[in-house]
Amino acid sequence: MPDSPKTIRRGDYAPPAFLIDTVDLDFALDPMATIVRSRLAFRRNPAAAADAPLRLDGEGLTLLEARLDGEALPESRRQLGADGSLTITDAPDAGILETSVRIAPERNTALSGLYTSGGNFYTQCEAEGFRRITFFPDRPDVMSRYSVTITADRARVPVLLSNGNPDGSGDAGEGRHWARWVDPHPKPSYLFALVAGDLVNVPDSFTTRSGRKVALNIWVRRGDETRCGHAMDSLIRSMKWDEEVFGLEYDLDVFNIAAVSDFNMGAMENKGLNVFNTKYVLASPETATDGDWQGIETVIAHEYFHNWTGNRVTCRDWFQLSLKEGLTVFRDQEFTADQGSRAVKRIRDVRGLRAAQFPEDAGPMAHPVRPDSYIEIDNFYTPTVYQKGAEVVRLLHTRIGPVAFRRGMDLYISRNDNQAVTIEDFVGAMQDASGTDLTPFMRWYDQAGTPELTVEDSYDPATRRYTLTLRQRTPPTPGQVEKQPLPIPVAMGLLDDTGAALPTRLAGENAAQPGTRVLLLDGAVQDFVFEDVPAPPVPSLLRGFSAPVRLKGVPQERLRFLAVHDSDPFVRWDSGQQYAAAFMLEQVARVQRGEAPGFAPALADAVANTLASADADPAFAAEALVLPGEGFLADQMEVADPEAIHQVRRHLRRQIGTHCGAALLATYQALTETGPYRIDGRSIGRRSLRNACLAYLAAAGEDGVALAAAQYRAATNMTDQLAALALLADAETPAREAGLAEFHAKWRGDDLVLDKWFSIQAMSSRPGTIAAVRALYAHPDFDLKNPNRARALIGAFASGNPLHFHDSSGEGYRFLADAVIALDPINGQTAARLIGPLGLWRRQWVERGALMRRELQRVLDTPNLSKGSFEKASKALQ
Ligand code: B3K
Ligand code: ZN
């Protein structure tokens, strides 16, 4: 990087100089030379400085022609900047600007802007991809009405799609045809989409509650039509749910989804034309795991819900990203919770938050939910903006209650419809609808780091008073050393020594409250005094994970008690996990002292109890059976020890598998499915419980491994087949090579399934895995240009295999850096996203940390590094 790329700061926001009321686009599609003609009706923004020039973003565009109010613009009146932008000098206060540019979609490997995949055309414009298609003020606070005409070869490109409603089509002569689309709703440029090619559609329809019939289509490659049923079903359920729960109805005549196998992320909510990674559309029992089915439901819902939270009401600038993302994740979480088990959904979401967001918040890339600055906005589509952002929305929901929250949503939408707004507008609507002062909650958006919550308590038998002292502290994060206390809603209850709930009455209250109540901790330390408590109670805190904090220091015996007795399923699950984690960390310390790890009979008892009552809720039982992951344990340690953690976890899995072998086998056998594959929550739960049992049995020894091999051969669905193959991939057995070879031969024609084959090998704990990963990188089926494939190998290894990634030779780090350096010039966005694991060097031993830094420096020293990779590597080194 010759010059350091520019940092964009939130405080520097200024309104756009010009607004664009209408955009008429005309595409003549061709893989190597697409011509994009644009007609913009512009006018000076009354809210901006009166002398600012008309500046349009552009990137990699070849300008063919520019006309202002019908006249060709002389070169003296237009400047092409080094950054690719186009500036018009002495622009009138209003007028028509026409430009014509040439682009080459076939050469676009960055998959941002207009690109081809498998010979078809697709776009991706969020965050700043529209400028790679045409000159435009490419920022979300410029909202315009679009009409789009597409012309292409009829035989090769029979389907022509864009946003909004269809508005005519016809013959264009010379074997070409055209179609026109009009979107009646003003939108920012990042929501523009075009999809064209040889695609087939799976049609359906939805009638809105006001009686409008909406045509639904999922567009896929020929041959994939049979795998769209679940996506369509999820879409229809999402549309209905948003009407019922939020009163929000769809607002166009058509809703199109197009699936593409080359895509930088999961999916994109373009108005009326969502573009999806095939991973989140295509599913059949033979090819998709239960996790994939659930992922499809979540992502379909998420993108659909953006139609209101994101599209109709959008973000003023990219610092407000969580305004649409945190809120929309909250909405998709609520949707899924309503479809099945709310408790299991909450457990999974918290597991995900702790696995991805907590480490981010404790590392060099820690940033507030609303960041203060960025170099490349694509780097900020993070677990903090999405998942922690959703937790902050949930805090508000908990604080003001569901009725006021719904009123707040109505108010937010009615006040801000068709506008680009800020997080203050959202919190302000919630405040006005609830009559509660929510200004202190803004700190959750602007302060980075995960607060630690500690508890002390005391009981006075003479006065029958019980005092709960809650304390909070947020550790410093880069650039934010001083932290303020946050308002933390703590959902809680008190239990007597039999586990029965005690009614609670705080000093000053007239009546006792039964069940769960919410305490608001809003200072650094606060006492909550409960009256009339008959005996020393056990507090159950943070029910339902009422705030994204680390609850610390709860004694082991209380955790054991809560794991069995609490009425709140989240606290039962979490207490079990915290108990196991504390025990495992003690064993890690033993291993570090050169001693053998021990075993706690309490863990075997817990497994036995879980199995005994598993039938009531198999999905919950499966969650409770799984030991805390290696990453979660590493995140609890000041300085991680990946080898010792792996050794302890492996040891405990073997011990549990041995001690509880009979019960595990009995449960395993009782859950063997006979009927057809079903995708309801209970069937999924039964499969995950059965596979959790199998994992323990395989850890215990040969018989279990043989059982896995048998399951692999007999499986009729991908969930069971892959679960068994992953166990084999970790074991020393001839069934391993045979299984992997057979799987590859069977699925080599199916990209999404083949990704799984790469991932399970990348995550294997066997010795020699790094060499195996290098060999897979050179495999003929590996394709660095395909983001799914790159993530399936490189991402799975770096994020999902701490044991080998942190190999003391530094080979794991070197592999990752090599891959990032190779990928960066092809697709900087996907390369930058892979860098993260190298950033956690401070949490490793000094020697390892030095090796990690060396690789980061090697990335940073690469000539012409993308600004996204520059930002990630340089921040990681700080
Ligand atoms: N809004 C898109 C993400 C775009 C990422 C750009 N680098 C998907 C989503 O959150 O719904
Ligand atoms: Zn989103």
Side-chain angles (χ1 to χ4, degrees), residues 754-771:
L754 207 57
D755 289 340
K756 302 178 194 303
W757 181 81
F758 277 95
S759 288
I760 51 174
Q761 297 180 76
M763 294 194 292
S764 170
S765 62
R766 286 175 83 236
T769 291
I770 302 179

Side-chain angles (χ1 to χ4, degrees), residues 230-281:
H230 179 58
M232 185 61 90
D233 177 60
S234 302
L235 173 61
I236 292 171
R237 279 184 287 118
S238 305
M239 295 179 87
K240 203 162 164 43
W241 185 89
D242 218 12
E243 292 185 348
E244 283 166 1
V245 176
F246 284 105
L248 296 171
E249 215 176 296
Y250 188 61
D251 55 359
L252 289 166
D253 304 336
V254 296
F255 187 76
N256 284 311
I257 289 176
V260 54
S261 53
D262 294 290
F263 203 62
N264 278 339
M265 62 275 166
M268 178 64 213
E269 69 265 24
N270 315 299
K271 184 81 189 186
L273 175 53
N274 285 190
V275 179
F276 270 63
N277 189 322
T278 44
K279 182 174 164 59
Y280 292 109
V281 174

Side-chain angles (χ1 to χ4, degrees), residues 126 267 269 302-303 306 324-325 328-329 386:
E126 188 176 358
E269 69 265 24
H302 180 94
E303 306 311 330
H306 267 316
K324 75 180 178 79
E325 296 304 348
T328 305
V329 171
Y386 277 65

Side-chain angles (χ1 to χ4, degrees), residues 295-592:
I296 291 169
E297 179 181 282
T298 295
V299 179
I300 292 267
H302 180 94
E303 306 311 330
Y304 175 72
F305 297 153
H306 267 316
N307 190 53
W308 282 95
T309 51
N311 300 4
R312 288 286 289 253
V313 181
T314 196
C315 303
R316 185 193 74 174
D317 56 74
W318 291 120
F319 295 102
Q320 320 296 325
L321 183 56
S322 197
L323 174 71
K324 75 180 178 79
E325 296 304 348
L327 178 55
T328 305
V329 171
F330 171 80
R331 275 153 51 70
D332 81 54
Q333 290 177 345
E334 286 298 292
F335 166 73
T336 304
D338 283 350
Q339 306 293 301
S341 163
R342 181 164 280 272
V344 170
K345 173 64 179 159
R346 189 69 186 131
I347 288 168
R348 295 210 173 119
D349 288 339
V350 174
R351 207 196 270 288
L353 183 83
R354 285 175 173 162
Q357 199 275 327
F358 278 24
E360 179 170 83
D361 231 357
M365 276 297 290
H367 54 274
V369 172
R370 180 161 69 177
D372 293 317
S373 68
Y374 60 77
I375 291 176
E376 171 56 81
I377 186 58
D378 286 332
N379 282 336
F380 286 80
Y381 289 74
T382 58
T384 297
V385 168
Y386 277 65
Q387 274 74 34
K388 186 175 179 181
E391 292 299 323
V392 176
V393 173
R394 192 171 292 279
L395 289 179
L396 295 169
H397 184 271
T398 304
R399 175 77 180 93
I400 66 180
V403 175
F405 186 89
R406 169 61 206 273
R407 267 204 310 273
M409 278 295 289
D410 292 351
L411 191 58
Y412 168 63
I413 289 185
S414 64
R415 274 182 185 168
N416 301 301
D417 193 12
N418 292 323
Q419 291 182 59
V421 301
T422 64
I423 286 172
E424 278 80 2
D425 292 307
F426 175 72
V427 177
M430 290 295 161
Q431 170 162 306
D432 294 349
S434 64
T436 307
D437 176 16
L438 296 177
T439 35
F441 278 79
M442 282 307 294
R443 202 169 279 158
W444 277 102
Y445 284 103
D446 293 329
Q447 182 167 291
T450 308
E452 293 171 0
L453 181 65
T454 47
V455 195
E456 279 164 51
D457 61 350
S458 63
Y459 179 72
D460 179 359
T463 56
R464 291 162 58 97
R465 277 202 184 118
Y466 171 69
T467 306
L468 194 60
T469 307
L470 299 179
R471 221 177 279 273
Q472 62 168 302
R473 176 191 162 263
T474 303
T477 53
Q480 261 190 357
V481 179
E482 297 296 326
K483 301 288 181 180
Q484 306 294 316
L486 294 157
I488 301 179
V490 181
M492 56 83 65
L494 298 179
L495 275 58
D496 73 12
D497 60 1
T498 69
L502 292 169
T504 53
R505 183 164 72 82
L506 284 171
E509 286 177 351
N510 290 330
Q513 288 191 27
T516 300
R517 64 183 300 153
V518 180
L519 307 177
L520 184 68
L521 169 66
D522 53 9
V525 54
Q526 227 161 307
D527 283 345
F528 297 89
V529 180
F530 295 89
E531 307 274 5
D532 267 342
V533 184
V538 175
S540 158
L541 300 172
L542 219 61
R543 284 180 168 171
F545 199 66
S546 60
V549 302
R550 297 178 194 254
L551 175 58
K552 291 204 146 176
V554 180
Q556 286 292 81
E557 70 276 7
R558 278 192 178 173
L559 291 172
R560 267 180 79 176
F561 181 85
L562 290 167
V564 178
H565 294 293
D566 198 39
S567 57
D568 183 74
F570 175 80
V571 168
R572 280 205 307 281
W573 170 79
D574 194 35
S575 301
Q577 293 285 306
Q578 300 291 352
Y579 177 87
F583 178 77
M584 291 168 90
L585 291 172
E586 281 168 26
Q587 308 318 303
V588 168
R590 284 177 66 101
V591 169
Q592 289 178 324

Side-chain angles (χ1 to χ4, degrees), residues 741-819:
E742 193 263 354
F743 193 89
H744 177 261
K746 183 165 176 195
W747 295 114
R748 69 172 308 178
D750 189 311
D751 294 344
L752 295 174
V753 183
L754 207 57
D755 289 340
K756 302 178 194 303
W757 181 81
F758 277 95
S759 288
I760 51 174
Q761 297 180 76
M763 294 194 292
S764 170
S765 62
R766 286 175 83 236
T769 291
I770 302 179
V773 167
R774 286 248 182 220
L776 287 168
Y777 187 86
H779 192 280
D781 291 327
F782 183 71
D783 178 7
L784 194 57
K785 288 202 180 74
N786 177 260
N788 285 358
R789 190 58 48 85
R791 287 186 286 254
L793 181 65
I794 307 160
F797 172 72
S799 306
N801 197 340
L803 176 69
H804 289 302
F805 176 63
H806 292 292
D807 188 273
S808 53
S809 66
E811 268 304 304
Y813 309 143
R814 185 168 13 226
F815 167 72
L816 178 59
D818 285 347

